[in-house]
Amino acid sequence: MGVAWPCVVYAMSIMLNAVVQHTNAALSAETLKLIAEANESGPYLGLVIPNSFEMDPLLQSPDFTSTNLIIDFSGRRFRFGTIAEKKVILVMTGLAMINAGITTQLLLSLFNIEGVVHYGIAGNANPDLHLADVVIPQYWAHTALWNWQRYGNGPDDELPLESQGDYTREIGYLKFANYTVNVTDGSSYDNLLNNIWYQPEEVFPVDGTPEQREHAFWVPVDPFYYEISKKLEDLELEGCLNSTTCLSQTPRVARVQRGTSASIYLDNAAYRDFIYDKFNITPVDMESASVALICLQQNVPFIVIRALSDLAGGGSADSNEADTFITLASNNSVTVLLEFVKQLSAASASTVSLSSIQLQVV
């Protein structure tokens, strides 16, 4: 005879509490109890949010209903609520890749999560898109894991440890000498910084063999989530900061091929053009690829929604300062997030109804 789920949760709580007390860790008995009780009401859709200015519009939205349950752990605050009858957990990561990775892992380790939606603002590398547009990439990559080649070596020279499978030349490289300026026509030139080669991440899947690595560069979002996002392309977005300041073009939702992340604030037109030409990148940010890689490792569905707050490095007819349009971009990202969750909730309800019909027929 099986053991009832609440009994299992209670037993696990007792064991975890004993371990925590023994190791003097931060997870208290009260926190363990709250986590166990919360998980009995799951599963939840995890909403992973970089910063407060991106989270506040959601907290203030009438479409979000808070349950007033908050669980604080390890410097993170997990807020519980519902959107369109979909149970959600909100958590803010803070800036950049490490914070985003730690927060996403905590979310997936502590709570009963059915999927993850990461949203916020981003820089833009795509000249065909504009400020306050909201983009939904199909693939994400971390583009700041490099093998920096020593001066004197070139594309035909094997990288250190390449033969052992640690590094590769398959993805490609950036040659710094290609961006030298003030050179006399016809003169040859070089750069001591030489070349950087882009590298895939090491991934250790939750259902794989421990310590047996795999590699991933382009991480795809969940195909079901991405298909649902197609329904958002006609969504109306806000194009004005106030009654006197409006964008020259009405923002729109666009599904795009690729986005990239690094713990680097990109405000350089030359590099922006390079990654767009080489990788067909649209959004550039500091967190999304980290969320993608954690979800890949943990085998959890995810999708990323990013509103474009500036053209990285400038160059548009509109002002490109992120702080000018941060509010507008943040609000548009929340508008798209809310509609996505509504569509996901409706799709989930339809699936449940269809399953019930099939069971009755059988």
Side-chain angles (χ1 to χ4, degrees):
M1 182 171 139
V3 180
W5 169 243
C7 296
V8 173
V9 171
Y10 182 69
M12 288 176 62
S13 297
I14 293 175
M15 290 187 290
L16 282 170
N17 189 39
V19 172
V20 167
Q21 289 179 344
H22 177 72
T23 58
N24 195 30
L27 197 59
S28 67
E30 179 61 25
T31 300
L32 279 167
K33 181 181 177 182
L34 288 173
I35 291 171
E37 291 175 351
N39 283 334
E40 288 181 37
S41 300
Y44 299 91
L45 184 67
L47 306 184
V48 179
I49 311 156
N51 291 293
S52 59
F53 60 81
E54 294 152 316
M55 181 171 66
D56 288 345
L58 177 57
L59 294 176
Q60 297 162 9
S61 170
D63 291 314
F64 171 70
T65 301
S66 173
T67 63
N68 296 319
L69 173 60
I70 291 176
I71 299 178
D72 293 338
F73 175 67
S74 193
R76 270 70 181 177
R77 171 160 289 180
F78 299 89
R79 306 169 187 262
F80 293 73
T82 59
I83 299 172
E85 300 183 357
K86 174 70 72 174
K87 296 176 181 179
V88 296
I89 302 178
L90 283 60
V91 61
M92 188 177 75
T93 67
L95 188 69
M97 296 284 288
I98 291 177
N99 275 326
I102 291 171
T103 305
T104 305
Q105 184 64 68
L106 283 172
L107 174 72
L108 300 183
S109 296
L110 292 173
F111 299 105
N112 182 7
I113 301 297
E114 66 177 60
V116 170
V117 182
H118 179 53
Y119 80 90
I121 66 170
N124 177 29
N126 186 339
D128 295 328
L129 290 164
H130 305 92
L131 293 172
D133 286 349
V134 177
V135 296
I136 305 173
Q138 189 173 10
Y139 298 93
W140 282 91
H142 174 210
T143 50
L145 180 57
W146 300 339
N147 187 308
W148 205 322
Q149 199 170 29
R150 71 171 59 184
Y151 182 72
N153 288 350
D156 295 329
D157 294 302
E158 187 177 278
L159 301 175
L161 305 180
E162 183 180 359
S163 61
Q164 299 181 25
D166 291 337
Y167 297 102
T168 177
R169 287 171 291 168
E170 291 181 0
I171 298 169
Y173 69 101
L174 167 65
K175 183 176 181 179
F176 284 94
N178 289 343
Y179 296 88
T180 302
V181 295
N182 299 324
V183 176
T184 304
D185 291 342
S187 300
S188 62
Y189 56 92
D190 209 343
N191 192 304
L192 291 173
L193 293 175
N194 203 20
N195 306 317
I196 55 170
W197 292 83
Y198 292 91
Q199 300 300 315
E201 288 276 359
E202 287 188 351
V203 178
F204 298 87
V206 66
D207 54 358
T209 303
E211 299 183 353
Q212 185 171 318
R213 67 183 178 176
E214 298 179 9
H215 288 93
F217 189 71
W218 295 114
V219 180
V221 303
D222 180 74
F224 177 60
Y225 286 5
Y226 196 64
E227 182 63 26
I228 288 177
S229 72
K230 187 175 180 61
K231 299 178 181 180
L232 311 178
E233 291 180 318
D234 295 328
L235 194 62
E236 292 186 6
L237 300 177
E238 183 59 53
C240 295
L241 284 169
N242 49 51
S243 60
T244 60
T245 306
C246 293
L247 295 169
S248 58
Q249 297 194 19
T250 302
R252 63 188 179 95
V253 180
R255 300 199 306 169
V256 297
Q257 185 180 27
R258 292 169 174 170
T260 181
S261 307
S263 291
I264 302 166
Y265 186 92
L266 177 57
D267 194 27
N268 182 277
Y271 189 71
R272 175 197 75 206
D273 292 344
F274 170 79
I275 60 171
Y276 175 73
D277 292 339
K278 184 169 184 59
F279 296 125
N280 193 26
I281 296 295
T282 296
V284 292
D285 68 32
M286 302 175 74
E287 296 88 18
S288 296
S290 184
V291 176
L293 285 160
I294 297 296
C295 288
L296 174 66
Q297 289 182 319
Q298 299 298 312
N299 196 26
V300 173
F302 81 97
I303 196 166
V304 177
I305 297 167
R306 287 283 185 164
L308 306 176
S309 62
D310 65 293
L311 182 63
S316 165
D318 294 303
S319 170
N320 291 293
E321 295 302 324
D323 54 2
T324 302
F325 290 98
I326 194 171
T327 300
L328 181 59
S330 297
N331 289 341
N332 280 351
S333 72
V334 171
T335 297
V336 177
L337 162 80
L338 289 168
E339 185 60 27
F340 174 81
V341 177
K342 291 175 185 177
Q343 295 290 342
L344 178 61
S345 182
S348 300
S350 299
T351 302
V352 170
S353 298
L354 180 61
S355 298
S356 299
I357 294 172
Q358 289 174 336
L359 285 172
Q360 290 173 6
V361 171
V362 173

PDB file of all heavy atoms in Angstrom, residues 77-88:
ATOM      1  N   ARG A  77      12.817  36.422  -2.586  1.00  0.00           N
ATOM      2  CA  ARG A  77      11.420  36.466  -2.120  1.00  0.00           C
ATOM      3  C   ARG A  77      10.542  35.820  -3.184  1.00  0.00           C
ATOM      4  O   ARG A  77      10.506  36.259  -4.336  1.00  0.00           O
ATOM      5  CB  ARG A  77      10.990  37.897  -1.852  1.00  0.00           C
ATOM      6  CG  ARG A  77       9.498  38.071  -1.565  1.00  0.00           C
ATOM      7  CD  ARG A  77       9.229  39.375  -0.842  1.00  0.00           C
ATOM      8  NE  ARG A  77       9.740  39.309   0.544  1.00  0.00           N
ATOM      9  CZ  ARG A  77       9.645  40.308   1.406  1.00  0.00           C
ATOM     10  NH1 ARG A  77       9.089  41.453   1.031  1.00  0.00           N
ATOM     11  NH2 ARG A  77      10.116  40.177   2.632  1.00  0.00           N
ATOM     12  N   PHE A  78       9.834  34.781  -2.778  1.00  0.00           N
ATOM     13  CA  PHE A  78       8.934  34.053  -3.661  1.00  0.00           C
ATOM     14  C   PHE A  78       7.501  34.475  -3.333  1.00  0.00           C
ATOM     15  O   PHE A  78       7.013  34.227  -2.235  1.00  0.00           O
ATOM     16  CB  PHE A  78       9.127  32.549  -3.505  1.00  0.00           C
ATOM     17  CG  PHE A  78      10.522  32.090  -3.843  1.00  0.00           C
ATOM     18  CD1 PHE A  78      11.521  32.042  -2.867  1.00  0.00           C
ATOM     19  CD2 PHE A  78      10.850  31.724  -5.137  1.00  0.00           C
ATOM     20  CE1 PHE A  78      12.810  31.635  -3.179  1.00  0.00           C
ATOM     21  CE2 PHE A  78      12.145  31.314  -5.462  1.00  0.00           C
ATOM     22  CZ  PHE A  78      13.120  31.271  -4.481  1.00  0.00           C
ATOM     23  N   ARG A  79       6.839  35.110  -4.303  1.00  0.00           N
ATOM     24  CA  ARG A  79       5.488  35.631  -4.122  1.00  0.00           C
ATOM     25  C   ARG A  79       4.505  34.736  -4.882  1.00  0.00           C
ATOM     26  O   ARG A  79       4.736  34.419  -6.049  1.00  0.00           O
ATOM     27  CB  ARG A  79       5.385  37.062  -4.658  1.00  0.00           C
ATOM     28  CG  ARG A  79       6.412  38.042  -4.085  1.00  0.00           C
ATOM     29  CD  ARG A  79       6.399  39.335  -4.874  1.00  0.00           C
ATOM     30  NE  ARG A  79       7.466  40.237  -4.478  1.00  0.00           N
ATOM     31  CZ  ARG A  79       7.320  41.249  -3.636  1.00  0.00           C
ATOM     32  NH1 ARG A  79       6.137  41.469  -3.089  1.00  0.00           N
ATOM     33  NH2 ARG A  79       8.342  42.034  -3.332  1.00  0.00           N
ATOM     34  N   PHE A  80       3.392  34.402  -4.243  1.00  0.00           N
ATOM     35  CA  PHE A  80       2.425  33.475  -4.809  1.00  0.00           C
ATOM     36  C   PHE A  80       1.158  34.214  -5.229  1.00  0.00           C
ATOM     37  O   PHE A  80       0.734  35.168  -4.568  1.00  0.00           O
ATOM     38  CB  PHE A  80       2.076  32.381  -3.798  1.00  0.00           C
ATOM     39  CG  PHE A  80       3.206  31.450  -3.493  1.00  0.00           C
ATOM     40  CD1 PHE A  80       4.280  31.879  -2.710  1.00  0.00           C
ATOM     41  CD2 PHE A  80       3.222  30.166  -3.996  1.00  0.00           C
ATOM     42  CE1 PHE A  80       5.342  31.026  -2.439  1.00  0.00           C
ATOM     43  CE2 PHE A  80       4.275  29.297  -3.721  1.00  0.00           C
ATOM     44  CZ  PHE A  80       5.338  29.735  -2.943  1.00  0.00           C
ATOM     45  N   GLY A  81       0.562  33.769  -6.331  1.00  0.00           N
ATOM     46  CA  GLY A  81      -0.672  34.368  -6.787  1.00  0.00           C
ATOM     47  C   GLY A  81      -1.242  33.610  -7.963  1.00  0.00           C
ATOM     48  O   GLY A  81      -0.837  32.478  -8.261  1.00  0.00           O
ATOM     49  N   THR A  82      -2.202  34.241  -8.649  1.00  0.00           N
ATOM     50  CA  THR A  82      -2.811  33.635  -9.825  1.00  0.00           C
ATOM     51  C   THR A  82      -2.950  34.663 -10.936  1.00  0.00           C
ATOM     52  O   THR A  82      -3.120  35.861 -10.691  1.00  0.00           O
ATOM     53  CB  THR A  82      -4.210  33.057  -9.511  1.00  0.00           C
ATOM     54  OG1 THR A  82      -5.046  34.113  -9.027  1.00  0.00           O
ATOM     55  CG2 THR A  82      -4.124  31.936  -8.499  1.00  0.00           C
ATOM     56  N   ILE A  83      -2.879  34.179 -12.172  1.00  0.00           N
ATOM     57  CA  ILE A  83      -3.176  34.957 -13.378  1.00  0.00           C
ATOM     58  C   ILE A  83      -4.063  34.075 -14.240  1.00  0.00           C
ATOM     59  O   ILE A  83      -3.652  32.971 -14.634  1.00  0.00           O
ATOM     60  CB  ILE A  83      -1.904  35.337 -14.149  1.00  0.00           C
ATOM     61  CG1 ILE A  83      -0.972  36.210 -13.299  1.00  0.00           C
ATOM     62  CG2 ILE A  83      -2.257  36.051 -15.455  1.00  0.00           C
ATOM     63  CD1 ILE A  83       0.383  36.462 -13.932  1.00  0.00           C
ATOM     64  N   ALA A  84      -5.285  34.521 -14.500  1.00  0.00           N
ATOM     65  CA  ALA A  84      -6.219  33.750 -15.335  1.00  0.00           C
ATOM     66  C   ALA A  84      -6.358  32.315 -14.819  1.00  0.00           C
ATOM     67  O   ALA A  84      -6.324  31.356 -15.589  1.00  0.00           O
ATOM     68  CB  ALA A  84      -5.763  33.764 -16.790  1.00  0.00           C
ATOM     69  N   GLU A  85      -6.479  32.188 -13.519  1.00  0.00           N
ATOM     70  CA  GLU A  85      -6.645  30.903 -12.836  1.00  0.00           C
ATOM     71  C   GLU A  85      -5.396  30.026 -12.887  1.00  0.00           C
ATOM     72  O   GLU A  85      -5.420  28.886 -12.406  1.00  0.00           O
ATOM     73  CB  GLU A  85      -7.853  30.133 -13.389  1.00  0.00           C
ATOM     74  CG  GLU A  85      -9.164  30.893 -13.232  1.00  0.00           C
ATOM     75  CD  GLU A  85     -10.359  30.098 -13.713  1.00  0.00           C
ATOM     76  OE1 GLU A  85     -10.176  28.985 -14.223  1.00  0.00           O
ATOM     77  OE2 GLU A  85     -11.491  30.599 -13.572  1.00  0.00           O
ATOM     78  N   LYS A  86      -4.334  30.529 -13.457  1.00  0.00           N
ATOM     79  CA  LYS A  86      -3.055  29.802 -13.458  1.00  0.00           C
ATOM     80  C   LYS A  86      -2.278  30.183 -12.201  1.00  0.00           C
ATOM     81  O   LYS A  86      -2.033  31.358 -11.940  1.00  0.00           O
ATOM     82  CB  LYS A  86      -2.253  30.143 -14.703  1.00  0.00           C
ATOM     83  CG  LYS A  86      -0.839  29.546 -14.745  1.00  0.00           C
ATOM     84  CD  LYS A  86      -0.853  28.052 -14.940  1.00  0.00           C
ATOM     85  CE  LYS A  86      -1.264  27.666 -16.336  1.00  0.00           C
ATOM     86  NZ  LYS A  86      -1.141  26.190 -16.542  1.00  0.00           N
ATOM     87  N   LYS A  87      -1.903  29.195 -11.411  1.00  0.00           N
ATOM     88  CA  LYS A  87      -1.138  29.463 -10.191  1.00  0.00           C
ATOM     89  C   LYS A  87       0.300  29.816 -10.564  1.00  0.00           C
ATOM     90  O   LYS A  87       0.941  29.108 -11.356  1.00  0.00           O
ATOM     91  CB  LYS A  87      -1.156  28.243  -9.279  1.00  0.00           C
ATOM     92  CG  LYS A  87      -2.551  27.892  -8.776  1.00  0.00           C
ATOM     93  CD  LYS A  87      -2.541  26.618  -7.951  1.00  0.00           C
ATOM     94  CE  LYS A  87      -3.946  26.280  -7.477  1.00  0.00           C
ATOM     95  NZ  LYS A  87      -3.976  25.022  -6.688  1.00  0.00           N
ATOM     96  N   VAL A  88       0.794  30.926  -9.997  1.00  0.00           N
ATOM     97  CA  VAL A  88       2.118  31.416 -10.369  1.00  0.00           C
ATOM     98  C   VAL A  88       2.945  31.722  -9.128  1.00  0.00           C
ATOM     99  O   VAL A  88       2.409  31.998  -8.050  1.00  0.00           O
ATOM    100  CB  VAL A  88       2.023  32.682 -11.253  1.00  0.00           C
ATOM    101  CG1 VAL A  88       1.343  32.370 -12.572  1.00  0.00           C
ATOM    102  CG2 VAL A  88       1.301  33.814 -10.528  1.00  0.00           C
TER     103      VAL A  88
END
